[in-house]
Amino acid sequence: MHAPLSRRFRLSRTLLATAVAAVTARLRPEPTEPGPTDANPGPASAAAAPAAPGTPSPTSRLRTAVLLLPVAAACWFNLIVLRSETTPASNLNDSAFHLQMVHWAAEQMSRGRIPLDGWFPDLTLGSSFFHHYQSLPYNLTALVARLTGIGIETGYLWTLYLLVALWPISVYAGARLLGLQRGPAAAAAFLSPLVVSASGYGYEHSSYTWRGYGVYTQLFAMWLLPLCWGLTWRAVARGRGYAIAALVLALTIATHLMTGYLAVL
């Protein structure tokens, strides 16, 4: 295997392990209050050293790890199948336009300007595109590229690659937030790369890849939508967590208006 490709796989494995560990820690069940029988344990139970409240047993940890395997498998499948998306090439779809938007945002940042409005000259005769279009994904991509120093095109391609490849994590997290058990949530995440539509514009690979349509801003909203649904449902059902639910909903709308409309419904 060539050295650059080997480095890609090592980076992909590290990102996948970090993401799965973060989701597992974030969605760990909250400790339950001790019941009436727990307050006055009998002699037999008093002799044993009980685990601290909320501490998962080794069996529980093993079961959780096994149930997360489908999520990791789906992500690993995507990382392998889509690895060529990180190779620069002339774009045949909307990515050519989206990449120019990222370049424009990065240029505004380099001049000390706030890239939330301005005249974008690279579309037909020019347009105030950042004023009336969802520009947050372009600004985020440009910011990441500038902070990491990896270059605008490299930052764009790797952002697209990782968001598409790791989407099963968002599906799993959203399903858990909606109250599904680990098994059904892992099954949903495992099957998410297989979703296709007749038009190819859905939440699927063909919407974003080089040979597809390159709808870049929808990709950010696709990642946020399961989390948005889960957090808003928890806020309504439990009466708390309104702030984080409102924030994720606002970000979904800001990244892609149509997906934000779907989230509001």
Side-chain angles (χ1 to χ4, degrees):
M1 184 178 291
H2 297 294
L5 188 57
S6 178
R7 285 196 295 270
R8 291 180 190 176
F9 280 122
R10 287 199 297 270
L11 176 60
S12 301
R13 286 198 301 268
T14 303
L15 291 170
L16 175 58
T18 303
V20 172
V23 170
T24 304
R26 179 67 182 86
L27 299 178
R28 182 174 296 167
E30 298 178 357
T32 56
E33 295 294 332
T37 57
D38 298 330
N40 299 305
S45 59
T55 303
S57 64
T59 304
S60 176
R61 292 194 189 98
L62 178 61
R63 183 171 180 272
T64 300
V66 170
L67 289 175
L68 285 175
L69 284 177
V71 185
C75 292
W76 188 243
F77 170 81
N78 286 339
L79 289 168
I80 294 175
V81 169
L82 300 172
R83 64 187 184 276
S84 60
E85 295 297 321
T86 60
T87 303
S90 298
N91 289 299
L92 307 177
N93 51 38
D94 287 358
S95 278
F97 164 69
H98 294 305
L99 182 56
Q100 290 303 314
M101 296 278 280
V102 178
H103 275 289
W104 188 90
E107 182 181 355
Q108 300 305 302
M109 292 178 186
S110 66
R111 296 180 179 181
R113 300 173 181 172
I114 300 176
L116 299 178
D117 198 0
W119 187 255
F120 179 72
D122 300 327
L123 177 66
T124 61
L125 297 178
S127 171
S128 56
F129 217 68
F130 274 69
H131 183 76
H132 58 78
Y133 192 72
Q134 52 259 6
S135 60
L136 181 60
Y138 310 128
N139 292 324
L140 291 176
T141 306
L143 182 62
V144 169
R146 283 178 54 81
L147 291 177
T148 57
I150 59 177
I152 302 302
E153 186 173 11
T154 301
Y156 177 89
L157 294 174
W158 273 91
T159 300
L160 186 149
Y161 169 61
L162 292 176
L163 287 179
V164 177
L166 301 181
W167 189 52
I169 296 176
S170 176
V171 174
Y172 176 81
R176 292 288 288 143
L177 289 170
L178 284 169
L180 273 68
Q181 297 297 320
R182 288 190 179 91
F190 182 74
L191 296 174
S192 61
L194 305 180
V195 173
V196 294
S197 65
S199 63
Y201 270 111
Y203 300 143
E204 55 192 293
H205 290 182
S206 63
S207 291
Y208 315 107
T209 56
W210 180 85
R211 62 183 299 175
Y213 293 103
V215 285
Y216 186 66
T217 56
Q218 179 182 292
L219 176 57
F220 284 74
M222 180 187 79
W223 237 93
L224 290 169
L225 184 61
L227 305 177
C228 178
W229 277 340
L231 290 169
T232 51
W233 179 84
R234 284 165 68 99
V236 173
R238 302 185 180 183
R240 55 190 174 89
Y242 289 105
I244 183 65
L247 175 61
V248 176
L249 177 59
L251 289 174
T252 306
I253 296 172
T255 51
H256 194 254
L257 183 60
M258 293 303 297
T259 302
Y261 177 76
L262 181 60
V264 172
L265 290 179

